[in-house]
Amino acid sequence: MRALVLERKGVLAIRDIDLPDQLGPDDVRIKLHTVGICGSDVHYYLHGGAGPRIVNAPMVLGHEASGVIVEVGSNVEGLVAGDRVCMEPGVPDFKSKATKLGMYNVDPKVTFWATPPVHGCLTTTVVHPAAFTFRIPDNVSFGEAAMVEPFAVGMQAAVKARITPGDIAVVLGAGTIGMMIALAALAGGCSKVLITAVHQPKLDIAGRYTGVVPINIRNLDVVERVLEETGDWGADVVFEASGSPKAIASLVDLCCPGGTVVLVGVPTEHNSLDIAGAINKEIEIRTVFRYANVFDRALNLIASGQVDLKPLISETFAFDDAIKAFERAASGLPNDVKLQIRLAD
Amino acid sequence: MRALVLERKGVLAIRDIDLPDQLGPDDVRIKLHTVGICGSDVHYYLHGGAGPRIVNAPMVLGHEASGVIVEVGSNVEGLVAGDRVCMEPGVPDFKSKATKLGMYNVDPKVTFWATPPVHGCLTTTVVHPAAFTFRIPDNVSFGEAAMVEPFAVGMQAAVKARITPGDIAVVLGAGTIGMMIALAALAGGCSKVLITAVHQPKLDIAGRYTGVVPINIRNLDVVERVLEETGDWGADVVFEASGSPKAIASLVDLCCPGGTVVLVGVPTEHNSLDIAGAINKEIEIRTVFRYANVFDRALNLIASGQVDLKPLISETFAFDDAIKAFERAASGLPNDVKLQIRLAD
Amino acid sequence: MRALVLERKGVLAIRDIDLPDQLGPDDVRIKLHTVGICGSDVHYYLHGGAGPRIVNAPMVLGHEASGVIVEVGSNVEGLVAGDRVCMEPGVPDFKSKATKLGMYNVDPKVTFWATPPVHGCLTTTVVHPAAFTFRIPDNVSFGEAAMVEPFAVGMQAAVKARITPGDIAVVLGAGTIGMMIALAALAGGCSKVLITAVHQPKLDIAGRYTGVVPINIRNLDVVERVLEETGDWGADVVFEASGSPKAIASLVDLCCPGGTVVLVGVPTEHNSLDIAGAINKEIEIRTVFRYANVFDRALNLIASGQVDLKPLISETFAFDDAIKAFERAASGLPNDVKLQIRLAD
Amino acid sequence: MRALVLERKGVLAIRDIDLPDQLGPDDVRIKLHTVGICGSDVHYYLHGGAGPRIVNAPMVLGHEASGVIVEVGSNVEGLVAGDRVCMEPGVPDFKSKATKLGMYNVDPKVTFWATPPVHGCLTTTVVHPAAFTFRIPDNVSFGEAAMVEPFAVGMQAAVKARITPGDIAVVLGAGTIGMMIALAALAGGCSKVLITAVHQPKLDIAGRYTGVVPINIRNLDVVERVLEETGDWGADVVFEASGSPKAIASLVDLCCPGGTVVLVGVPTEHNSLDIAGAINKEIEIRTVFRYANVFDRALNLIASGQVDLKPLISETFAFDDAIKAFERAASGLPNDVKLQIRLAD
């Protein structure tokens, strides 16, 4: 099977590789069409690992994917060969305690594409559980469908925030995930989302959406601005999508009494969440680990026109240029939000 | 004080009337600008009462109002003379158990404008608690601001539904309240709202909004259509806004397993909610009585452009034509959604 | 395999019968120890069916069971031969939408012991998914463990009620399920549970528990009594466990403003829930269909001493007397709460 | 009015002092009976302030109080002279945004007894809003009623935890508040509460309650023990009641995937909550600031026998010995949980 293989830290190859391809009764076989490049793919490429997860053997990259079903297992209902689909890349033990509780994303046994030692999907075909394969509405393109995976993180953040319609939110960080959160929060009930960053190009892209207010924190005091926008009350919901210690330190001041903080960005260094301040305002702090039960909801919002992800697809590469695509992603151009690789026509 | 007075069933007059006008320390005095006509105003006009509430003495009508503050009480903070405002018409006992619990709308002591024996606000000025008076953003007109009250019912329904972002909803009934619910549900996180009625003109108006799917139940089986739109699963949320026994009987079939029904329309006759069916799907049924804590959220959604109520203001009358406006409202023209009366320039 | 077989309506036999007994990799094989008799078992015995579920072929009865593991499948972790266990009798499609959402009890594909055409567990051994088999703490007897299944319905009702600690509850109906709800509601946070019935013996049994207030509705007006106990506010939670139209008609009057009704009893006749009244108090109505994710919680409460089910086991029969046990159950003695059958020593 | 006055840091006096005593229409006048000594009272005594709150003028101490109504304001309903009552010591602006939302405890304008510059209630009579004055059931003593205030903090923690019946909880810290949380968590639905401390006497007192498992962390690894008790899953709820950095650092390891942490203890030093770990398990972190809407619930639980606070009243002093009582409290005897002062017979 032809695939984009991370041979080891810093070394990519497009080559044939043996991959498991046995179709179980509850599985479908999918011919890949479009796969997006995630920050984590780039991280594995550049650093050969992420925290405790080390790339010790050649690994196929990619987990943001859409494609076409070519074969279905004997038990599969509701999906047939020819269906255009996108795939949820993390598969739990279906009989685990976490799955029974409806939070399969935190099942300790989840296997996730392109997370060592599990191969990703930047290859010709994959076998995947039908339960994690979603038909794409006709008016949604393969490119948009491959955006559902990163958007799902934003959706999970919006779900966890338990937004009350009309809430005012702040999103700290305007990277890809920050933008996904901003769009999901607006579609999920917020009246307005203030998004912060130090780099203007990303803020300009985010600011084109109705309801998004970009704030360059080089020039403006966010807390002051948020109090202004909220009658000195504070934001109903504050999403942390930067992992930056400075952002984490500001969460309590941005948030209203009884309000909600949602932590999405994983801090790499030591952090200093203001616990005493959080107690004083009786703030709730929720966290997001990937997502559960949001792929179909994300597709509904895109198909109905409530969410438009197309402007965030910065460029699409042919599979033969996949290594070039990764190099571009690694270079972090200021206007790039999402780069994608097309594997089929 | 000049006012539109319901003298008794069927008899309206524009005349002077003595109204309480003492300004307490926590009150503001407001010069009325625009007042909408509600179905309940028309009901009192035509029937002289509603259920146990009988009009036994002349009563000023109107409770959907915007205006300008002309005086503030000694304790009032955050509002000043000259502020453009809209008003929440139901005032609870602020020290009651219900208020302390955050659900002041169900406080048994609530007094509500134009609900006998309490006068409404179709008059020159009113005195009102500052706590129930909300400043209007600059880009929101007096007419839109007077729409906040009926929209608040839709907001309360959307809040009570605890929408998960991307939910698919059904609204049964395309009267004013049905439309308000549809718009609030979309702004509040739904991906799509199917709205049903037997009269096409209202459906045509509703159908102009992105995400609203009008269904004329003369021609179509709603249950079948909803199952089609939801992969045979059923709607996540079903809002009942018609009070019709037939609609109430269909709620369980429309709703998905573990889904939510929100009852807004008050049935006048006997009803037959399918309890056994609801149990079989473990459906939750929530109810809406007016609203609490949604006026500021409604204003935020209107100001940010997430909700556009302007197309629903069908016509605006001068105060001198207020009786004509009520006659028009009573005649129920198929294209009329909201009629308003302007009391000032 | 020796089993208690319902041959057809009214005819029971203890005899050998062929039952599926292939052990899958995720299954365990259990030697049955104690099985309780449920009202539904008796209903199938007396009536040959329940609603749409008709007994068309000989069927083994019983679904309230405890036993000892005798064999485990190749994938099973955390359970070994010799473990004392009790079993959750409804098995969903583990990859269904409902299961992924954490509400596997409403999965349309659930199969449930002793629900035609699925055999029950009044037999020597059964094969069951390990995921629905729970180890019994040492201080919990097989008899108590076989009570976990009916208690689980009470637990689900208590979970669905989202009890706030200190809530005052009413349970309408003092049958087995009514008692289970009362105990689960107390253990689940209620300060006091008023339970109602027309038969005194069951009320006497319930009234022996601290916190349970029995009310014989032949002698007392429940609404009046509840208002007395709650300072004229109404109960925070009202559980309906009788299915009686009269009880259903009283729900709104018993419930406080903004309170919660939980429907457990399935009405057989037409009902008349007071929708207008429910709206007026903004009451939420939740429903209970079996249970999900409560077996381990139930075992924890029993083991820790918070819940004592032993007084509700009225008599235990040898397997050879199983038909006698069913006849006794069918006769409905006033002091019988739960009858059990012992299949092993 | 005779009162216990904190003249300045370290100096107490029993003397006459002028206190506001005008009875408003919504107020009651209460003759004090019993007042408990809180850690914060002792802190003001020893340190002359707490964080930003400095004692700059003589201040009456005490806020845990019960007494008898001697006079009621003209609007007061439901309370009469002679009623035995206990009082909620924090009074918000009743018309504030926070109050309307049902979370009056976080209203920035709350005034709270014995929090500078507001006087406490260790005096002969106080005037207090009827809305924050609660009638004591006949079977509850004045001493127990004066315990409702500290127990209310435990109640708020139990409410915020949104306990699912049968949850297993851990409470870090076995001081007065830790014990209150443990009892409220058990009454509020937990099956078992593991409570930790380094001092054995407090653990012994806590361990006398059914369902409480004391753990001396000098001898035992809590995380290991909690994993043992929970089948390697972790606790459903972890309450932090110590403010200790070491305890805060252990929260994530103690908590199950998708579980809940409730922060009650205010850390004085820098803390290091493990945000990355919390994200990895998708843990929710809630916080407790005093309490709202729990006094009546607490009284219900005490009156019904679900909660017994009597063993925690270590000694009761006559008012003339009030200074001696404070010295004893300041000395922190290992077996003292709560010391109270009796002002009337």
Side-chain angles (χ1 to χ4, degrees):
Chain A
M1 203 110 63
R2 205 151 174 75
L4 181 73
V5 180
L6 175 60
E7 304 289 359
R8 61 184 175 280
K9 174 176 161 177
V11 180
L12 291 171
I14 297 179
R15 65 157 166 105
D16 285 336
I17 184 169
D18 269 349
L19 295 172
D21 71 342
Q22 205 178 336
L23 188 82
D26 298 323
D27 294 333
V28 295
R29 188 184 313 279
I30 302 136
K31 186 169 186 304
L32 276 303
H33 186 285
T34 298
V35 176
I37 301 177
C38 173
S40 74
D41 293 313
V42 175
H43 197 89
Y44 285 122
Y45 167 39
L46 296 179
H47 304 286
R53 294 164 182 138
I54 308 298
V55 178
N56 291 318
M59 179 180 82
V60 177
L61 290 173
H63 62 264
E64 308 177 350
S66 62
V68 176
I69 291 182
V70 291
E71 190 183 357
V72 305
S74 54
N75 288 344
V76 172
E77 293 175 10
L79 288 175
V80 295
D83 279 350
R84 301 164 68 243
V85 293
C86 63
M87 287 81 80
E88 191 171 339
V91 179
D93 173 357
F94 285 98
K95 296 178 175 175
S96 68
K97 178 160 182 165
T99 299
K100 287 186 293 177
L101 285 163
M103 46 184 207
Y104 56 76
N105 53 322
V106 292
D107 178 25
K109 292 206 177 160
V110 164
T111 60
F112 198 94
W113 277 344
T115 303
V118 181
H119 286 296
C121 63
L122 264 163
T123 181
T124 316
T125 66
V126 291
V127 168
H128 204 63
F132 284 87
T133 304
F134 300 86
R135 193 185 293 111
I136 310 173
D138 291 346
N139 66 342
V140 176
S141 68
F142 283 111
E144 288 168 280
M147 289 290 279
V148 167
E149 200 280 339
F151 182 56
V153 177
M155 286 292 290
Q156 182 81 347
V159 170
K160 287 302 208 88
R162 292 175 215 149
I163 295 164
T164 303
D167 271 355
I168 296 177
V170 175
V171 176
L172 301 177
T176 307
I177 292 301
M179 287 197 201
M180 295 293 144
I181 295 170
L183 297 189
L186 279 171
C190 285
S191 57
K192 192 160 48 180
V193 175
L194 293 80
I195 189 165
T196 72
V198 290
H199 296 298
Q200 196 57 36
K202 292 283 165 63
L203 289 172
D204 289 343
I205 294 169
R208 275 175 219 140
Y209 287 93
T210 305
V212 173
V213 181
I215 299 180
N216 192 321
I217 54 177
R218 276 198 220 275
N219 319 320
L220 266 177
D221 182 301
V222 204
V223 174
E224 209 170 276
R225 181 64 195 280
V226 166
L227 292 176
E228 233 177 75
E229 292 266 355
T230 59
D232 280 330
W233 181 246
D236 299 293
V237 185
V238 184
F239 296 96
E240 207 304 296
S242 72
S244 128
K246 203 181 146 192
I248 291 171
S250 74
L251 291 167
V252 167
D253 287 338
L254 290 166
C255 192
C256 74
T260 301
V261 163
V262 181
L263 302 172
V264 186
V266 180
T268 49
E269 315 166 39
H270 240 51
N271 55 74
S272 61
L273 185 65
D274 175 10
I275 288 184
I279 286 175
N280 224 45
K281 284 182 166 176
E282 228 177 40
I283 286 171
E284 289 202 16
I285 301 164
R286 312 217 178 98
T287 61
V288 167
F289 183 66
R290 295 170 181 161
Y291 37 71
N293 296 306
V294 300
F295 262 60
D296 49 357
R297 305 175 163 286
L299 283 166
N300 287 343
L301 285 166
I302 297 166
S304 72
Q306 306 290 314
V307 170
D308 183 8
L309 300 175
K310 291 187 297 290
L312 305 180
I313 304 174
S314 307
E315 192 158 340
T316 303
F317 294 77
F319 184 52
D320 288 344
D321 296 327
I323 297 174
K324 198 185 300 175
F326 266 77
E327 280 160 6
R328 160 98 164 258
S331 73
L333 298 191
N335 285 298
D336 280 356
V337 180
K338 178 59 64 185
L339 304 179
Q340 293 186 327
I341 295 167
R342 182 170 300 170
L343 294 108
D345 307 310
Chain B
M1 201 110 62
R2 205 151 174 77
L4 181 74
V5 180
L6 175 60
E7 304 288 0
R8 59 186 177 280
K9 174 176 160 175
V11 181
L12 291 170
I14 297 179
R15 65 155 166 106
D16 285 336
I17 184 170
D18 269 349
L19 295 172
D21 72 342
Q22 207 179 334
L23 188 83
D26 298 324
D27 295 333
V28 295
R29 187 183 313 279
I30 304 136
K31 186 169 185 303
L32 276 304
H33 185 286
T34 298
V35 176
I37 301 178
C38 173
S40 74
D41 292 314
V42 175
H43 197 89
Y44 284 121
Y45 166 39
L46 296 179
H47 303 286
R53 294 166 181 136
I54 309 298
V55 178
N56 291 318
M59 179 179 82
V60 177
L61 289 172
H63 62 264
E64 307 177 351
S66 61
V68 175
I69 291 182
V70 291
E71 190 183 358
V72 305
S74 55
N75 288 344
V76 172
E77 293 175 9
L79 289 175
V80 295
D83 279 351
R84 301 165 68 242
V85 293
C86 63
M87 287 81 79
E88 190 170 339
V91 178
D93 173 357
F94 286 99
K95 295 179 177 175
S96 69
K97 177 161 181 164
T99 300
K100 285 187 294 177
L101 284 163
M103 46 185 206
Y104 56 77
N105 53 322
V106 293
D107 178 25
K109 293 206 176 159
V110 164
T111 60
F112 198 93
W113 278 344
T115 303
V118 181
H119 286 297
C121 63
L122 264 163
T123 181
T124 316
T125 66
V126 291
V127 168
H128 204 63
F132 284 87
T133 304
F134 299 86
R135 192 185 293 111
I136 310 172
D138 291 346
N139 66 342
V140 175
S141 69
F142 283 111
E144 289 168 279
M147 289 290 279
V148 168
E149 199 281 337
F151 182 56
V153 177
M155 287 291 290
Q156 182 81 348
V159 169
K160 287 303 208 88
R162 292 176 214 149
I163 295 163
T164 303
D167 272 355
I168 295 177
V170 175
V171 176
L172 301 177
T176 307
I177 292 302
M179 287 197 201
M180 295 293 145
I181 295 170
L183 298 189
L186 279 172
C190 285
S191 57
K192 191 160 48 181
V193 175
L194 292 81
I195 189 166
T196 72
V198 290
H199 296 299
Q200 196 57 36
K202 291 283 165 63
L203 289 171
D204 290 343
I205 295 169
R208 276 176 219 139
Y209 287 93
T210 304
V212 174
V213 181
I215 299 180
N216 192 321
I217 54 177
R218 276 199 221 275
N219 319 321
L220 266 177
D221 182 300
V222 204
V223 174
E224 210 170 276
R225 180 65 196 279
V226 166
L227 291 176
E228 233 177 75
E229 292 267 354
T230 58
D232 280 331
W233 181 246
D236 299 293
V237 185
V238 185
F239 296 96
E240 207 304 295
S242 72
S244 128
K246 203 180 146 193
I248 291 170
S250 73
L251 291 167
V252 167
D253 287 338
L254 291 166
C255 192
C256 75
T260 301
V261 164
V262 181
L263 302 172
V264 186
V266 180
T268 49
E269 315 167 39
H270 239 53
N271 55 73
S272 61
L273 185 65
D274 176 10
I275 288 184
I279 286 175
N280 224 45
K281 284 182 166 176
E282 227 178 39
I283 286 170
E284 289 202 16
I285 302 164
R286 311 217 179 98
T287 61
V288 167
F289 183 66
R290 295 169 181 161
Y291 37 70
N293 296 308
V294 299
F295 262 59
D296 48 357
R297 304 175 163 285
L299 284 165
N300 286 342
L301 285 166
I302 298 166
S304 72
Q306 307 289 314
V307 170
D308 182 8
L309 300 175
K310 291 187 297 291
L312 306 180
I313 304 173
S314 307
E315 192 158 340
T316 303
F317 294 77
F319 184 51
D320 289 345
D321 296 327
I323 296 174
K324 198 185 301 176
F326 264 77
E327 280 161 5
R328 160 98 164 258
S331 73
L333 297 192
N335 286 297
D336 280 355
V337 180
K338 179 58 65 185
L339 303 180
Q340 294 186 327
I341 294 167
R342 182 170 300 171
L343 294 108
D345 307 309
Chain C
M1 203 109 61
R2 203 149 173 80
L4 181 74
V5 180
L6 175 61
E7 303 289 1
R8 60 185 176 280
K9 174 175 161 177
V11 181
L12 291 170
I14 298 181
R15 65 156 167 105
D16 285 335
I17 184 170
D18 269 350
L19 295 172
D21 71 342
Q22 205 178 337
L23 188 83
D26 298 323
D27 294 333
V28 295
R29 188 183 314 278
I30 303 137
K31 186 167 185 305
L32 276 302
H33 185 286
T34 298
V35 176
I37 301 178
C38 173
S40 75
D41 292 313
V42 175
H43 197 90
Y44 284 123
Y45 167 38
L46 297 178
H47 303 286
R53 293 164 182 138
I54 309 298
V55 178
N56 291 318
M59 178 180 84
V60 177
L61 289 173
H63 62 266
E64 307 178 350
S66 61
V68 176
I69 292 182
V70 291
E71 188 183 358
V72 305
S74 54
N75 288 345
V76 172
E77 293 175 9
L79 289 174
V80 296
D83 279 351
R84 302 164 68 242
V85 293
C86 64
M87 288 81 79
E88 189 171 339
V91 179
D93 173 357
F94 285 98
K95 295 179 176 175
S96 69
K97 177 161 181 164
T99 299
K100 286 187 293 178
L101 285 163
M103 45 183 207
Y104 56 77
N105 54 323
V106 293
D107 178 23
K109 292 206 177 160
V110 164
T111 61
F112 198 94
W113 278 345
T115 302
V118 180
H119 286 297
C121 63
L122 263 163
T123 181
T124 316
T125 66
V126 291
V127 168
H128 204 64
F132 284 87
T133 304
F134 299 86
R135 193 187 292 112
I136 310 173
D138 291 345
N139 66 342
V140 175
S141 69
F142 284 112
E144 287 168 280
M147 290 289 280
V148 167
E149 199 280 338
F151 183 56
V153 177
M155 287 292 291
Q156 182 81 347
V159 170
K160 286 304 207 88
R162 290 174 215 151
I163 294 164
T164 303
D167 271 355
I168 295 176
V170 176
V171 176
L172 301 176
T176 307
I177 291 303
M179 287 197 203
M180 296 293 144
I181 294 169
L183 298 189
L186 278 171
C190 285
S191 57
K192 193 161 44 181
V193 175
L194 293 81
I195 189 166
T196 72
V198 290
H199 297 298
Q200 196 57 34
K202 292 282 166 63
L203 290 171
D204 290 342
I205 294 169
R208 277 176 218 140
Y209 287 93
T210 305
V212 173
V213 182
I215 299 180
N216 192 321
I217 55 177
R218 276 198 222 274
N219 318 321
L220 266 177
D221 183 300
V222 205
V223 174
E224 211 171 274
R225 180 68 195 278
V226 166
L227 292 177
E228 234 177 75
E229 292 266 354
T230 59
D232 281 331
W233 181 246
D236 299 294
V237 184
V238 185
F239 295 97
E240 207 304 294
S242 72
S244 128
K246 203 180 146 195
I248 292 171
S250 74
L251 291 167
V252 166
D253 287 337
L254 290 166
C255 192
C256 75
T260 300
V261 164
V262 181
L263 302 171
V264 186
V266 180
T268 49
E269 315 166 40
H270 239 53
N271 56 73
S272 62
L273 184 67
D274 176 10
I275 289 184
I279 287 175
N280 225 45
K281 284 182 166 176
E282 226 177 41
I283 286 172
E284 289 203 16
I285 301 164
R286 312 215 178 99
T287 61
V288 167
F289 183 66
R290 295 170 181 162
Y291 39 71
N293 297 306
V294 300
F295 263 58
D296 49 357
R297 304 175 162 286
L299 284 166
N300 287 342
L301 285 166
I302 296 166
S304 72
Q306 308 290 313
V307 170
D308 182 9
L309 300 175
K310 290 187 298 290
L312 305 180
I313 303 175
S314 308
E315 193 159 339
T316 303
F317 294 77
F319 184 51
D320 288 345
D321 296 327
I323 296 175
K324 198 184 301 177
F326 266 77
E327 280 160 6
R328 159 98 165 259
S331 72
L333 297 191
N335 285 299
D336 281 355
V337 180
K338 178 58 65 185
L339 303 179
Q340 293 186 330
I341 295 167
R342 183 171 299 171
L343 294 108
D345 307 310
Chain D
M1 202 109 63
R2 204 149 172 79
L4 181 74
V5 180
L6 175 61
E7 304 288 2
R8 59 185 177 280
K9 174 175 161 177
V11 181
L12 291 170
I14 298 180
R15 64 154 167 106
D16 285 336
I17 184 170
D18 269 349
L19 296 172
D21 72 342
Q22 205 179 335
L23 188 83
D26 298 324
D27 294 333
V28 296
R29 188 184 315 278
I30 302 136
K31 186 167 184 303
L32 276 303
H33 185 287
T34 298
V35 176
I37 301 178
C38 174
S40 74
D41 292 312
V42 175
H43 197 90
Y44 284 123
Y45 167 39
L46 296 179
H47 303 287
R53 294 165 182 138
I54 309 298
V55 178
N56 291 317
M59 178 180 83
V60 177
L61 289 173
H63 62 266
E64 307 179 350
S66 61
V68 175
I69 292 182
V70 291
E71 189 183 358
V72 305
S74 54
N75 287 346
V76 172
E77 292 175 9
L79 289 175
V80 296
D83 279 352
R84 301 165 68 243
V85 293
C86 64
M87 287 81 79
E88 189 171 339
V91 179
D93 173 357
F94 285 98
K95 296 179 176 175
S96 69
K97 178 162 182 165
T99 299
K100 287 186 293 177
L101 285 163
M103 45 183 206
Y104 56 77
N105 54 323
V106 292
D107 178 23
K109 291 204 178 162
V110 164
T111 60
F112 198 93
W113 278 345
T115 303
V118 180
H119 286 297
C121 63
L122 264 163
T123 181
T124 316
T125 66
V126 291
V127 168
H128 204 64
F132 284 87
T133 304
F134 299 86
R135 193 186 292 112
I136 309 173
D138 291 346
N139 66 343
V140 176
S141 68
F142 283 112
E144 287 168 279
M147 290 289 280
V148 167
E149 199 281 338
F151 182 57
V153 177
M155 287 291 290
Q156 183 80 349
V159 169
K160 285 306 207 86
R162 291 174 215 150
I163 295 164
T164 303
D167 272 355
I168 295 176
V170 175
V171 176
L172 301 176
T176 307
I177 291 303
M179 288 197 202
M180 296 292 143
I181 294 169
L183 297 189
L186 279 172
C190 284
S191 57
K192 192 161 46 180
V193 175
L194 293 81
I195 189 166
T196 72
V198 290
H199 296 298
Q200 196 57 34
K202 293 283 166 62
L203 289 172
D204 290 342
I205 295 169
R208 277 177 218 139
Y209 287 93
T210 305
V212 173
V213 181
I215 299 180
N216 192 320
I217 54 177
R218 275 199 221 274
N219 318 322
L220 267 177
D221 183 300
V222 205
V223 173
E224 211 171 274
R225 180 67 195 278
V226 166
L227 292 176
E228 234 177 76
E229 293 266 354
T230 58
D232 280 332
W233 182 246
D236 300 294
V237 184
V238 185
F239 295 97
E240 208 302 295
S242 72
S244 126
K246 203 180 146 194
I248 292 171
S250 75
L251 291 167
V252 166
D253 287 338
L254 291 166
C255 191
C256 75
T260 301
V261 164
V262 181
L263 302 171
V264 186
V266 180
T268 48
E269 316 166 38
H270 239 53
N271 55 74
S272 61
L273 185 67
D274 175 11
I275 289 184
I279 287 175
N280 224 46
K281 284 181 167 178
E282 226 176 40
I283 286 171
E284 289 202 17
I285 301 164
R286 310 214 181 100
T287 61
V288 167
F289 183 66
R290 295 170 181 161
Y291 38 72
N293 297 307
V294 300
F295 263 58
D296 48 357
R297 304 176 162 286
L299 284 166
N300 287 341
L301 285 167
I302 297 166
S304 72
Q306 307 290 314
V307 170
D308 182 9
L309 300 175
K310 290 187 297 292
L312 306 179
I313 304 175
S314 307
E315 192 158 338
T316 303
F317 293 78
F319 184 49
D320 288 345
D321 296 327
I323 296 175
K324 198 185 300 178
F326 265 77
E327 280 161 5
R328 159 99 164 257
S331 73
L333 297 191
N335 285 298
D336 281 355
V337 180
K338 179 56 67 184
L339 303 179
Q340 294 186 327
I341 295 167
R342 183 170 299 170
L343 295 108
D345 307 310

